[in-house]
C-alpha cells in the first residue's frame, strides 16, 4: 500500500541513507494506520480489500487475513447500492465526510458507524482505489438514545443532507419512497426526485447550503422504488453538521391528500355542472311555461273577452248585460294575472330589449309594488352579453331586490348598472338595517348561496357587504367577452 520512490543518480551512500529513511517513515505510517483508533479500509479498482487495520477487526469482527483480496464483507445487502455509489464517487475524485450508516459485524449484528471516503492515489497521483475511514459511533451516542428513539419512531419523515447526499433518513422518510434507511443513505438526493423537479430541489439545497436563505418550505414529486410518483412536502433548514453546512428537515407524504383533493375537486366540478344544468333546464321550463301562458291561456282569455263583449253588445236584457260586465271584469283580472305570472317566469323585455332594459323594467315594478324610493342609473354604453349570462345576472338582480323587500326594512334603494372598461357592473345599495356578514358565508342562506353560485357559473364576481344599521350593498362584476375581444383587436 505504501509505494517506494524510484532510484536516483545520487551516490550510493546517499541513496542508501534515503532508502533507509523512507523505510522508517513507511514503517511508522504502517504502524500508525495499523494501530489507529479508527478503522482504515482500502479498496482497489475491483473493490477488493487492500487494507484492513486493527480497528476494522475490532469494529467488524473479521481478521485481516479473512478479508484481504476479497469484497467488503460488512455491507448489508440493502446497502449495496449506496455503497457502490460511495465507491463510484471516490474513484471519480470526490471525497465524502462523516456519513452515518449501518454496517454488519461478523457475528451478524448491526453497528452504527461514521464513514469518510477519499480517492486512493499512487505516487504519480493516479487513482488506484478508495480509502474509507470508519468510526464506531455506537459507544458515543448513549446521550442521544432518547432523541434517536423519538426520531426513529416519528410519524413524519426526517432527513439530513450534506454534499448533495442523504447523510441520515429516519424510517418514515425512507418508507415514503419505498426504501429502507440503509438503501437510501448515503445516496444522492437527486436519485429520489422526479426529473421535472430535480433542478428545483437541488437549487433549493444549494441556496441553503450557500447561506442565501436559511429555511424554505416547498412541494416536489418524488420517485418511489416501484416507479410511481409521490407528492412530498418538505420544510428544510440550514445548520452545521460535523462542522460544515448541511440541511436538516422534515417531510410529509401528501400523495393521498392530493388524490382526495383532486377527487373532491372533480366531485365539486360535477356538482357545479349539474347545478348549472338544473338552472338552465329551469330557465328553459320557465320560458316555455311563460310562452304557453302568454300565447295559449292568454290567447284563450282574450278570445273569451271578445266573446263576452259581443254578447253584451247584442243583448237587450239588463240582467244578462250586468252578468256580462261581471264576467268581463273577471276575464280582465285573469288576463292581468296571466301577464304577471308570465313576466315573473320570463320577462319578455329581457328577450326583446336586453338586460339593462329588463333591469329598468324590474326596478319600476319593485317601486310600484313596495312603495320604496328607487334611484336608477343606467350607463348609456351598449352591453353585448350572451343569453344565459344575461338571465343569470337578471335573476341575481331580482334576488337582491327580493331580499330588500323581505329583510332590509329600507326606505331607499340606489341601483347602478352598465359597462365600465369592458366590465358589466351592477350595484344595488339600500339604506336598511344591514346584513350580518356571517349570513353571507352561511350555507343555509340559500338565497345568497344561489346568487353566488349563479355568478360563479358565468365567470362573474359577486360581493355582498354591509354592517348592522349601515345598509347592504350587492356588487356584481362581469367581464364582457365580446368587449374584451374587440378591445384586443383594436389594439393590434
Amino acid at each position: 500500500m505504501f509505494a517506494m520512490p524510484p532510484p536516483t543518480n545520487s551516490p550510493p551512500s546517499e541513496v542508501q541513507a534515503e532508502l533507509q529513511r523512507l523505510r522508517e517513515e513507511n514503517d511508522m505510517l504502517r504502524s500508525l494506520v495499523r494501530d489507529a483508533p479508527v478503522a482504515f479500509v482500502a479498496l482497489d479498482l475491483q473493490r477488493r480489500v487492500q487494507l484492513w487495520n486493527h480497528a476494522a477487526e475490532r469494529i467488524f469482527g473479521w481478521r485481516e487475513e479473512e478479508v484481504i483480496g476479497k469484497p467488503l464483507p460488512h455491507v448489508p445487502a440493502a446497502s449495496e447500492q449506496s455503497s457502490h455509489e460511495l465507491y463510484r464517487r471516490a474513484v471519480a475524485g470526490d471525497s465524502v465526510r462523516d456519513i452515518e450508516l449501518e454496517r454488519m459485524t461478523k457475528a451478524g449484528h448491526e453497528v452504527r458507524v461514521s464513514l469518510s471516503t477519499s480517492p486512493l492515489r499512487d505516487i504519480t497521483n493516479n487513482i488506484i482505489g478508495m480509502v474509507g475511514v470508519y468510526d464506531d459511533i455506537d459507544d458515543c451516542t448513549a446521550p442521544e438514545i432518547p432523541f434517536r428513539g423519538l426520531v426513529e419512531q416519528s410519524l413524519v419523515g426526517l432527513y439530513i443532507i450534506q454534499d448533495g447526499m442523504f447523510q441520515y433518513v429516519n424510517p418514515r422518510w425512507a418508507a415514503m419512497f419505498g426504501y429502507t434507511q440503509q438503501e437510501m443513505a448515503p445516496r444522492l438526493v437527486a436519485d429520489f426526485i422526479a426529473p421535472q423537479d430535480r433542478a428545483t430541489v437541488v437549487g433549493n439545497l444549494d441556496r441553503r447550503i450557500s447561506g442565501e436563505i436559511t429555511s424554505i418550505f416547498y412541494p416536489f414529486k418524488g420517485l418511489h422504488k416501484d416507479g410511481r410518483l409521490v407528492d412530498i412536502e418538505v420544510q428544510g433548514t440550514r445548520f452545521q453538521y460535523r462542522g460544515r453546512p448541511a440541511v436538516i428537515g422534515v417531510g410529509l407524504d401528501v400523495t393521498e391528500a392530493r388524490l382526495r383533493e383532486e377527487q373532491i375537486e372533480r366531485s365539486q366540478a360535477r356538482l357545479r355542472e349539474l347545478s348549472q344544468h338544473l338552472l338552465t333546464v329551469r330557465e328553459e321550463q320557465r320560458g316555455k311555461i311563460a310562452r304557453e301562458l302568454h300565447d295559449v291561456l292568454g290567447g284563450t282569455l282574450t278570445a273569451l273577452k271578445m266573446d263576452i263583449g259581443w254578447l253584451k253588445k247584442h243583448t237587450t236584457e239588463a240582467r244578462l248585460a250586468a252578468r256580462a260586465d261581471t264576467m268581463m271584469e273577471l276575464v280582465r283580472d285573469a288576463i292581468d294575472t296571466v301577464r304577471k305570472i308570465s313576466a315573473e317566469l320570463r320577462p319578455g323585455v329581457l328577450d326583446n330589449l336586453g338586460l339593462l332594459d329588463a333591469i329598468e323594467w324590474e326596478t319600476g315594478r319593485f317601486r310600484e309594488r313596495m312603495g320604496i324610493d328607487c334611484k336608477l342609473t343606467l350607463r348609456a354604453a351598449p352591453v353585448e352579453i350572451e343569453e344565459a349570462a344575461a338571465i343569470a345576472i337578471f335573476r341575481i338582480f331580482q334576488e337582491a331586490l327580493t331580499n330588500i323587500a323581505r329583510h332590509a326594512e329600507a326606505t331607499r334603494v340606489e341601483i347602478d348598472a352598465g359597462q365600465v372598461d369592458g366590465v358589466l357592473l351592477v350595484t344595488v345599495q339600500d339604506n336598511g338595517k344591514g346584513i350580518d356578514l356571517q349570513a353571507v358565508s352561511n350555507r343555509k342562506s340559500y338565497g345568497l348561496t344561489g346568487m353566488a353560485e349563479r355568478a360563479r357559473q358565468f365567470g362573474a364576481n359577486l360581493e355582498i357587504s354591509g354592517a348592522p344599521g349601515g345598509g347592504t350593498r350587492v356588487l356584481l362584476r362581469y367581464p364582457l367577452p365580446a368587449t374584451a375581444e374587440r378591445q384586443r383587436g383594436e389594439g393590434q
Side-chain angles (χ1 to χ4, degrees), residues 286-298:
R286 281 182 168 187
K288 182 179 180 180
I289 295 172
R291 288 189 296 271
E292 292 292 330
L293 285 173
H294 182 274
D295 298 341
V296 179
L297 185 55

Side-chain angles (χ1 to χ4, degrees), residues 1 78 115 181 203 233 238 285 345 358 403 452 473:
M1 293 299 301
L115 171 64
Q181 289 175 279
E233 291 183 351
R238 185 180 190 270
Q285 291 298 319
L345 289 171
N403 287 337
R473 186 182 77 157

Side-chain angles (χ1 to χ4, degrees), residues 453-490:
E453 182 63 18
R454 282 183 184 272
R456 189 206 58 75
Q457 288 178 347
F458 293 96
N461 177 261
L462 184 69
E463 296 179 7
I464 302 175
S465 58
T472 301
R473 186 182 77 157
V474 176
L475 172 60
L476 181 139
R477 294 186 180 91
Y478 176 67
L480 297 171
T483 303
E485 188 67 31
R486 184 168 61 251
Q487 289 175 346
R488 285 195 296 270
E490 292 173 354

Side-chain angles (χ1 to χ4, degrees), residues 184-341:
M184 203 166 188
R187 279 184 61 183
L188 288 173
V189 173
D191 291 346
F192 302 92
I193 312 301
Q196 64 267 30
D197 289 342
R198 205 164 284 161
T200 299
V201 173
V202 172
N204 285 337
L205 284 174
D206 291 342
R207 292 170 64 196
R208 282 169 290 176
I209 292 296
S210 67
E212 177 184 344
I213 56 175
T214 301
S215 181
I216 189 173
F217 170 84
Y218 64 97
F220 67 87
K221 294 280 187 182
L223 287 176
H224 196 274
K225 188 176 182 179
D226 61 15
R228 60 187 171 90
L229 297 180
V230 289
D231 290 295
I232 307 295
E233 291 183 351
V234 293
Q235 173 76 49
T237 303
R238 185 180 190 270
F239 83 123
Q240 291 293 313
Y241 179 66
R242 297 186 181 274
R244 294 188 298 119
V247 171
I248 186 170
V250 298
L252 290 174
D253 182 351
V254 296
T255 305
E256 293 185 4
R258 292 283 173 82
L259 290 175
R260 287 195 295 269
E261 289 175 0
E262 292 174 0
Q263 291 171 352
I264 291 172
E265 289 177 359
R266 288 195 295 268
S267 177
Q268 289 177 338
R270 288 195 293 268
L271 288 175
R272 287 192 292 267
E273 291 172 359
L274 177 60
S275 176
Q276 184 171 354
H277 175 70
L278 292 175
L279 289 174
T280 301
V281 169
R282 186 169 69 177
E283 289 298 335
E284 290 175 352
Q285 291 298 319
R286 281 182 168 187
K288 182 179 180 180
I289 295 172
R291 288 189 296 271
E292 292 292 330
L293 285 173
H294 182 274
D295 298 341
V296 179
L297 185 55
T300 301
L301 290 172
T302 300
L304 182 58
K305 176 183 175 183
M306 294 174 63
D307 288 344
I308 293 172
W310 184 89
L311 287 174
K312 179 182 178 182
K313 182 179 180 180
H314 291 83
T315 185
T316 57
E317 188 174 344
R319 289 189 306 166
L320 291 177
R323 181 59 61 89
D325 287 338
T326 302
M327 293 173 63
M328 184 66 75
E329 289 299 321
L330 291 174
V331 170
R332 287 195 185 102
D333 290 343
I335 291 174
D336 288 341
T337 300
V338 168
R339 287 174 178 171
K340 289 179 181 178
I341 295 174

